[in-house]
Amino acid sequence: ITAVALSEDGNVAYTAGIDNRITAWDVRKQQRTMKMSGHGDTVTSLSLHPRGTHLLSNSMDGTLKTWDVRPFVSGNRQDRTFVGGTHNAEKGLLNCAWSADGSMVTGGSADRTVHVWDVPTSEELYALPGHTGC
């Protein structure tokens, strides 16, 4: 396991790892409730939307993805994909987060750049270089 996020009420845990998949767990029942696939490499970070409706994942495949984690969604839960600059294993995106209102997402990169995307359009708004760590 390389990434974990908890729902606000603590009843659902989301985990991800080197199998490139995201799993949701019902903490109370200690059972898997969903499994989501779509990344091509290790997932390095997870972040839950401020309203708890979507999960943001960050992978060494150079993408961030949003997943609809609301109950009773059928079919593919993958919602959006965010792509910034070219990344490889040494410069894979590391951390991710939502803005307070959920309208933007960010991903820190090993190349010391923070990327900021607009959620509705998936457009990269900013690439902020010069950070000393991620």
Side-chain angles (χ1 to χ4, degrees):
I1 294 176
T2 57
V4 176
L6 290 173
S7 63
E8 187 175 344
D9 63 8
N11 292 329
V12 179
Y14 300 93
T15 62
I18 60 173
D19 65 354
N20 313 341
R21 297 182 184 170
I22 300 165
T23 305
W25 302 90
D26 183 319
V27 175
R28 296 165 296 177
K29 295 179 183 177
Q30 298 184 3
Q31 294 178 338
R32 182 176 61 209
T33 58
M34 70 180 88
K35 200 163 209 169
M36 298 168 278
S37 298
H39 280 295
D41 204 341
T42 303
V43 177
T44 60
S45 182
L46 297 172
S47 178
L48 201 57
H49 186 280
R51 292 189 184 137
T53 59
H54 290 75
L55 184 71
L56 178 65
S57 60
N58 191 325
S59 171
M60 291 189 76
D61 66 9
T63 66
L64 278 79
K65 296 181 183 289
T66 58
W67 308 85
D68 190 335
V69 294
R70 294 175 290 186
F72 311 113
V73 171
S74 61
N76 188 358
R77 291 180 173 270
Q78 186 179 327
D79 185 39
R80 298 193 187 284
T81 300
F82 305 93
V83 180
T86 303
H87 300 283
N88 58 26
E90 288 80 32
K91 295 185 178 182
L93 293 168
L94 302 175
N95 297 317
C96 63
W98 295 88
S99 63
D101 65 359
S103 67
M104 293 182 286
V105 295
T106 63
S109 179
D111 66 358
R112 298 184 178 164
T113 301
V114 174
H115 300 272
V116 181
W117 292 270
D118 179 63
V119 172
T121 65
S122 301
E123 178 184 348
E124 186 172 12
L125 299 174
Y126 308 102
L128 308 171
H131 292 269
T132 57
C134 294

